[in-house]
Amino acid sequence: MDGKQLQSQYKDHLSDFQNWDQRAHAQEYILYPKNMGYHLCIDETALSKGDLYTILINRDKRGRKGSIIAVIQGTKTDDIIAVLTKMPQELRNQVKEITLDMAGSMQKMAKTCFPRAMQVIDRFHVQKLVYEAVQELRITYRWQVIKEENKAMKAAKEKGEVYKAEELENGDTLRQLLARSRYLLFKSPDKWTKSQKIRAELLFKQFEDIKHVYYYSLELGKIFSTNYDKDVARAKLALWYNKIEEYGYDTFTTVANSIENHYERILNFF
């Protein structure tokens, strides 16, 4: 049987799609107020063809049946608020906590739709920002090496010579070392494979500041993964912030400033 025909037959005759009460607006949004809980999470995700959707889930369900409360096309603040406020106010007032990212738009959505909920910035979003800063430094060096390598190749060509990049102890060129170190910088040293350990040692020897920012990122992760109470976490984050400020790497300082600007919401994680 033709696949499209089977799909059409199921949709139009076998399933209850034609009588679905959300059919009229399903392209724009789907709401399941009955799945509301005390601890929610709001985030954006790409579901198809790269289009972004805003999704609201009940964290207490831990990904099981009944987790999804809302799926809304797009990320425009006013549109999201208009959909979420279709759910009864008394239901929304029951929410005690909502997890979100650092975007001001998300904070506005949470405050407007769930006014009694404590806002918590998830460790995932904080650490993601830090990991991106580490990767940015690696990429910056990679472009520098590529630029220098191109110059060397051009100079060799003008002399009628064949350019050959110098190989390191593990067989990588400097350019390859920077490219191949991407994944190890997302992992803690105890998770490195044997080849990654060797590569990390070479990388940190060649680029000491990558080593510094990498270990600063691990320090932040340790603060989140250790069960400190809120006051201890506040002190630990302050010390971490001071180290970053003293180190002076611009991108990392920007990350630290972002964390400082959302301090209380981040501390609500603990």
Side-chain angles (χ1 to χ4, degrees):
M1 180 182 285
D2 179 77
K4 288 186 178 179
Q5 184 182 1
L6 179 62
Q7 182 182 24
S8 177
Q9 290 290 329
Y10 177 80
K11 177 181 173 182
D12 296 333
H13 303 290
L14 300 176
S15 75
D16 202 30
F17 177 75
Q18 299 298 336
N19 300 318
W20 187 28
D21 59 356
Q22 302 208 50
R23 181 185 170 195
H25 55 74
Q27 292 283 351
E28 289 78 42
Y29 69 89
I30 300 171
L31 277 179
Y32 297 106
K34 65 180 182 180
N35 292 341
M36 187 70 76
Y38 296 118
H39 303 89
L40 310 185
C41 177
I42 189 167
D43 206 351
E44 57 186 49
T45 187
L47 294 181
S48 63
K49 298 180 180 179
D51 286 339
L52 288 175
Y53 289 77
T54 299
I55 186 165
L56 181 71
I57 63 170
N58 181 342
R59 290 182 61 208
D60 295 327
K61 295 290 184 178
R62 299 183 181 277
R64 297 189 296 269
K65 184 178 179 181
S67 294
I68 296 176
I69 301 167
V71 179
I72 307 166
Q73 186 180 46
T75 57
K76 191 176 178 182
T77 305
D78 292 342
D79 292 347
I80 306 305
I81 290 172
V83 172
L84 294 180
T85 50
K86 291 179 184 293
M87 294 186 288
Q89 179 78 52
E90 59 270 21
L91 202 59
R92 291 183 282 114
N93 283 345
Q94 292 175 15
V95 179
K96 296 178 180 178
E97 179 182 298
I98 183 164
T99 301
L100 64 167
D101 64 23
M102 292 189 229
S105 57
M106 285 289 187
Q107 292 168 29
K108 182 180 177 181
M109 291 174 203
K111 186 176 181 180
T112 304
C113 302
F114 309 101
R116 297 183 183 178
M118 178 177 70
Q119 294 184 20
V120 179
I121 294 178
D122 196 341
R123 63 175 289 183
F124 167 78
H125 293 102
V126 180
Q127 288 186 261
K128 181 173 179 284
L129 203 61
V130 174
Y131 289 146
E132 286 172 352
V134 175
Q135 293 294 339
E136 183 179 303
L137 184 58
R138 177 190 65 83
I139 291 167
T140 298
Y141 274 122
R142 183 167 177 251
W143 281 114
Q144 286 179 12
V145 168
I146 290 172
K147 186 178 179 180
E148 289 166 7
E149 196 174 90
N150 286 340
K151 284 182 180 178
M153 289 173 71
K154 185 179 179 182
K157 188 176 181 180
E158 288 172 352
K159 294 177 182 178
E161 299 172 354
V162 177
Y163 173 77
K164 189 177 188 309
E166 182 183 347
E167 291 186 356
L168 301 169
E169 297 162 35
N170 67 340
D172 287 350
T173 63
L174 209 54
R175 178 175 178 172
Q176 290 170 334
L177 177 71
L178 286 160
R180 293 168 180 172
S181 295
R182 178 187 175 191
Y183 295 107
L184 70 86
L185 293 174
F186 283 116
K187 299 161 71 175
S188 59
D190 61 308
K191 298 289 195 305
W192 287 340
T193 64
K194 185 178 179 180
S195 63
Q196 285 176 332
K197 286 178 183 177
I198 295 169
R199 188 164 283 124
E201 188 177 331
L202 291 169
L203 179 73
F204 294 157
K205 185 179 178 181
Q206 295 283 338
F207 306 97
E208 197 169 327
D209 45 355
I210 294 181
K211 177 181 178 179
H212 288 312
V213 296
Y214 168 73
Y215 280 103
Y216 285 143
S217 73
L218 291 185
E219 278 186 42
L220 182 65
K222 190 175 180 182
I223 293 171
F224 280 105
S225 61
T226 308
N227 293 319
Y228 296 112
D229 64 30
K230 196 169 184 176
D231 290 333
V232 174
R234 187 189 302 274
K236 294 283 185 181
L237 278 173
L239 288 170
W240 182 85
Y241 178 86
N242 290 339
K243 285 182 184 178
I244 299 303
E245 204 171 38
E246 287 173 14
Y247 186 66
Y249 171 48
D250 284 348
T251 303
F252 238 63
T253 302
T254 301
V255 170
N257 288 337
S258 296
I259 291 173
E260 187 183 38
N261 289 336
H262 300 278
Y263 220 43
E264 293 305 319
R265 291 185 181 89
I266 291 171
L267 285 169
N268 286 338
F269 173 83
F270 298 93

